[in-house]
Amino acid sequence: MEQKPPSAVIEAAHRDHLTSLPFEDTRDFDDADRGFIAALDPCVVKAADGTVVWDNDAYAFLDGEAPTSVHPSLWRQSQLCAKQGLYEVVEGIYQVRGLDISNITFVEGDTGVIVIDPLLSTEVAATALKLYREHRGERPVVAVIYTHSHGDHFGGVLGVTSQADVDAGKVAVLAPEGFVEHAVQENVYAGTAMTRRGTYMYGMLLARGPQGQVGCGLGQVGSTGEVSMIVPTVDIRRTGETHTIDGVEIEFQMAPGTEAPAEMHFYFPKFRALCMAENATHNLHNLLTLRGALVRDPHGWAGYLTEAIDTFADRTDVVFASHHWPTWGRERIIEFLSLQRDLYAYLHDQTLRLLNQGYTGVEIAEQFQLPPALEQAWHAHGYYGSVNHNVKAIYQRYMGWFDGNPARLWPHPPEALGPRYVAAMGGADRVVELAGKAFEDGDYRWAATLLDHVMFTDDEHAAARALYADTFEQLAYGAENATWRNFYLSGATELRQGKFGTAGQVTAPTMLAQLSPEQMFDVIAISIDGPRAWDLDLAIDVTFDDTGDNYRLTLRNGVVVYRRAAADAQTAHATVRLADKLRLLAAVSGDATSPGLEVTGDTDALPSLLAALDRPDANFNIVTP
């Protein structure tokens, strides 16, 4: 089944957007080009085995006027995000942009360079460092700063430094307090599901082009190389804390629970430059990302932006972030940060006002409008997060999933609901006929709802499947939000071609290595197949030889409980001695015979525990049962 062109309904909507949005405001293009030094040519990065891990040249089609298959506002944003190369922010601060979904920043000290946010993978980080050094000289890396706990801001660290240099004290690694805990927890506990959904969200396996993936709003897409981690050597714990590295003073502001659970801003007095991490970028961010995460706090987010304005704005000449392009000049900086603050505060406050009038999350999202000043500010547009799904996230944060209507307290799951609706409407063929009429009328949301029920009744219904893919495609063409577009196009692709699976690693080995023993036990606990373990009653003592730590694990009623305890072979069914925590990971993965694992007592105890583990499915269905 081939892709279809945009419908007349979508084309008409885009013509309206061209007249209602401020396309005459081209300051972002000036800012995105300012300070340009050199581009990478070709902008293609390969791993050691020749695999392409980054290809920005695939976006060469982003030229000229927007085609009717892309929302003109999203086309504009993608053009900006696809700009790549080395840029001077101010003399002494340089960014490489367009070499990953995120930016890498180089701050020059007396003898070396401080690296901020070394991208997602080692290959692109190494390439960015090489590009910087080609134009600024062979300065050694003296420090790395992680602004926050998301992988695209630390995963490439081994491309700019080494664990040996960090261990030797040659390179400091700074991060906000709680960084390691949150980095591994978010990427491991729900890593399989988040990676599968992230493949949809970022359109990673979609073709690049006017009818395909054009970016994700925050950048183009994430690189797909080796993900790494080095544990920070310096934890930043309080606002106002200062550190001087290689002659460069840095003043920190903590911003936990905003775009990431562990996040911070920081200011360079020498350069009059403020780094806002990922809390003030040129789009509306996510309060609940479509790939899945904990709901973020827009009230706290707005508060930290106010604090940043009050603390730094009067002494700042440029503000830059971990995505997009900088903003220069005191007045424009205050305007930018203030509108970003107002954006999150307005979403929060008005959602709370309306939920206290009895509106549900869906109802609030449907009627929600931003003030004119925010509607006309390009950086407040929902290219990555959207007003619609952020409002629902705020409702969820305060009220949970239940909207208060008893009829919706105990709904059927889709596999049970679909057949009932289809039967009530006269059968699958009749529902497809109704969906076809909705499609012709341009009511694609209703068509998708009807066809969803058919799919969960008969996912092999050819006419339904074809029309469902066509419907998703039109919804994608009309979306200003890049992640919505990618979700719709991914759904259409899987309906037409079958599941394309999951892109990239679920969890990198170097990240798994940072799991604490307690977090590893958590991974075991959330992997237990409860019903299969109902009848098991086990007590296992676990000792780690490298640290001397002892734990008692029990499995009863399908629940793993762990405590620190002295090993006691008299009361435990078995004692397990492990060389280190990595050997525990290997055992969980099924390796019970390699060196580094010794079991005394009941030799069936550990195999019984491991046999109760469920293996995650990285290729689960999304648009079909």
Side-chain angles (χ1 to χ4, degrees):
M1 291 182 283
E2 296 181 354
Q3 286 188 279
K4 307 294 174 58
S7 68
V9 172
I10 297 299
E11 291 181 341
H14 289 341
R15 286 194 294 271
D16 289 342
H17 297 139
L18 287 169
T19 59
S20 63
L21 293 173
F23 283 95
E24 70 281 357
D25 179 2
T26 60
R27 289 178 298 172
D28 283 336
F29 287 90
D30 297 333
D31 288 342
D33 289 334
R34 178 170 170 171
F36 174 75
I37 296 172
L40 188 68
D41 186 21
C43 195
V44 177
V45 180
K46 297 180 180 180
D49 65 0
T51 303
V52 173
V53 301
W54 177 254
D55 182 2
N56 200 68
D57 292 351
Y59 295 99
F61 65 87
L62 288 166
D63 188 31
E65 298 300 317
T68 54
S69 56
V70 185
H71 194 295
S73 176
L74 176 58
W75 183 261
R76 174 188 181 278
Q77 180 76 353
S78 295
Q79 287 181 317
L80 288 161
C81 290
K83 292 178 179 290
Q84 61 89 5
L86 176 66
Y87 297 80
E88 182 181 83
V89 178
V90 294
E91 186 176 355
I93 300 181
Y94 301 84
Q95 283 190 320
V96 173
R97 304 198 286 270
L99 213 58
D100 207 327
I101 189 175
S102 49
N103 300 333
I104 185 171
T105 304
F106 301 97
V107 180
E108 295 177 352
D110 292 344
T111 63
V113 64
I114 301 164
V115 177
I116 302 172
D117 285 355
L119 307 179
L120 176 58
S121 57
T122 61
E123 295 89 347
V124 290
T127 301
L129 179 60
K130 180 181 177 183
L131 180 63
Y132 163 79
R133 284 175 168 166
E134 285 174 356
H135 297 275
R136 296 297 302 168
E138 291 290 329
R139 295 170 178 267
V141 173
V142 295
V144 176
I145 301 176
Y146 305 142
T147 60
H148 62 288
S149 53
H150 291 153
D152 54 322
H153 304 273
F154 64 81
V157 64
L158 289 181
V160 298
T161 189
S162 66
Q163 185 68 59
D165 280 352
V166 172
D167 292 343
K170 296 178 181 178
V171 179
V173 180
L174 294 80
E177 183 178 22
F179 167 85
V180 173
E181 174 191 355
H182 292 299
V184 298
Q185 182 172 302
E186 179 166 315
N187 286 280
V188 175
Y189 286 13
T192 300
M194 288 176 64
T195 304
R196 170 75 168 127
R197 282 173 46 158
T199 303
Y200 263 55
M201 175 177 170
Y202 295 107
M204 296 179 71
L205 297 178
L206 296 174
R208 312 306 190 235
Q211 288 183 271
Q213 201 260 19
V214 300
C216 70
L218 194 64
Q220 291 311 93
V221 73
S223 60
T224 56
E226 177 196 30
V227 179
S228 59
M229 176 189 279
I230 293 178
V231 174
T233 60
V234 179
D235 289 334
I236 306 302
R237 301 179 184 277
R238 61 179 180 82
T239 294
E241 186 173 337
T242 62
H243 291 265
T244 299
I245 301 172
D246 196 28
V248 177
E249 182 184 2
I250 311 172
E251 180 180 340
F252 293 90
Q253 178 201 2
M254 304 305 294
T258 50
E259 187 271 338
E263 191 147 356
M264 62 185 182
H265 312 145
F266 39 92
Y267 174 74
F268 297 95
K270 177 180 179 179
F271 302 106
R272 294 178 61 85
L274 174 62
C275 176
M276 290 301 295
E278 203 166 321
N279 285 330
T281 54
H282 287 271
N283 56 206
L284 169 60
H285 214 295
N286 285 298
L287 297 178
L288 179 55
T289 173
L290 300 184
R291 74 176 185 275
L294 300 178
V295 180
R296 297 158 185 172
D297 179 9
H299 180 66
W301 195 324
Y304 287 119
L305 289 175
T306 297
E307 184 179 59
I309 294 167
D310 294 344
T311 305
F312 302 115
D314 283 340
R315 46 195 175 115
T316 298
D317 293 332
V318 63
V319 61
F320 64 94
S322 303
H323 296 270
H324 302 142
W325 49 94
T327 299
W328 288 267
R330 178 181 177 278
E331 290 186 7
R332 288 191 64 206
I333 288 169
I334 292 175
E335 177 191 38
F336 171 64
L337 293 178
S338 297
L339 286 173
Q340 283 281 301
R341 183 267 319 280
D342 293 350
L343 178 60
Y344 297 104
Y346 192 86
L347 285 166
H348 175 269
D349 296 348
Q350 295 307 305
T351 299
L352 267 291
R353 177 180 69 84
L354 291 167
L355 73 81
N356 279 314
Q357 293 181 3
Y359 292 101
T360 67
V362 172
E363 291 168 339
I364 299 169
E366 202 64 20
Q367 64 176 286
F368 203 96
Q369 275 193 302
L370 291 175
L374 294 176
E375 290 279 7
Q376 292 297 303
W378 285 116
H379 64 83
H381 278 239
Y383 304 115
Y384 190 52
S386 73
V387 168
N388 191 285
H389 75 248
N390 279 342
V391 164
K392 295 169 186 172
I394 297 167
Y395 186 92
Q396 177 182 321
R397 180 178 176 87
Y398 283 95
M399 304 299 289
W401 62 268
F402 177 45
D403 68 6
N405 185 327
R408 299 166 193 149
L409 181 58
W410 190 24
H412 288 291
E415 293 88 345
L417 191 64
R420 287 169 165 80
Y421 271 111
V422 168
M425 287 186 280
D429 291 343
R430 173 58 178 159
V431 178
V432 173
E433 181 183 340
L434 293 170
K437 177 64 166 58
F439 184 94
E440 292 301 321
D441 292 343
D443 192 354
Y444 304 121
R445 293 167 69 185
W446 178 233
T449 299
L450 291 170
L451 294 164
D452 179 34
H453 290 314
V454 179
M455 278 297 99
F456 279 81
T457 303
D458 177 9
D459 65 329
E460 297 298 326
H461 194 293
R465 206 175 178 98
L467 183 58
Y468 203 17
D470 292 348
T471 301
F472 279 156
E473 195 168 56
Q474 295 303 318
L475 287 167
Y477 294 157
E480 182 183 35
N481 182 279
T483 62
W484 284 35
R485 176 185 175 92
N486 291 336
F487 253 87
Y488 286 133
L489 288 177
S490 294
T493 300
E494 291 204 329
L495 285 166
R496 288 169 174 160
Q497 301 175 12
K499 286 188 293 184
F500 49 47
T502 297
Q505 295 174 302
V506 173
T507 307
T510 53
M511 190 177 301
L512 286 172
Q514 305 310 322
L515 287 169
S516 68
E518 290 87 353
Q519 288 173 322
M520 291 186 181
F521 297 146
D522 283 341
V523 172
I524 292 174
I526 62 180
S527 300
I528 291 290
D529 184 330
R532 202 161 73 223
W534 284 345
D535 296 329
L536 291 176
D537 187 347
L538 300 173
I540 300 173
D541 285 331
V542 179
T543 297
F544 295 94
D545 286 341
D546 59 335
T547 63
D549 291 331
N550 302 302
Y551 294 86
R552 167 67 55 80
L553 265 66
T554 60
L555 172 58
R556 297 187 182 95
N557 301 316
V559 176
V560 169
V561 175
Y562 57 87
R563 299 182 179 89
R564 283 186 176 271
D568 182 355
Q570 298 303 312
T571 58
H573 293 98
T575 296
V576 177
R577 298 186 66 88
L578 296 157
D580 52 39
K581 60 185 180 181
L582 292 179
R583 188 62 188 86
L584 176 60
L585 278 180
V588 170
S589 299
D591 180 2
T593 59
S594 296
L597 183 151
E598 178 185 333
V599 180
T600 57
D602 183 354
T603 56
D604 290 332
L606 181 60
S608 295
L609 173 67
L610 298 179
L613 297 180
D614 202 7
R615 304 300 174 188
D617 179 5
N619 197 30
F620 56 80
N621 291 345
I622 292 180
V623 294
T624 56

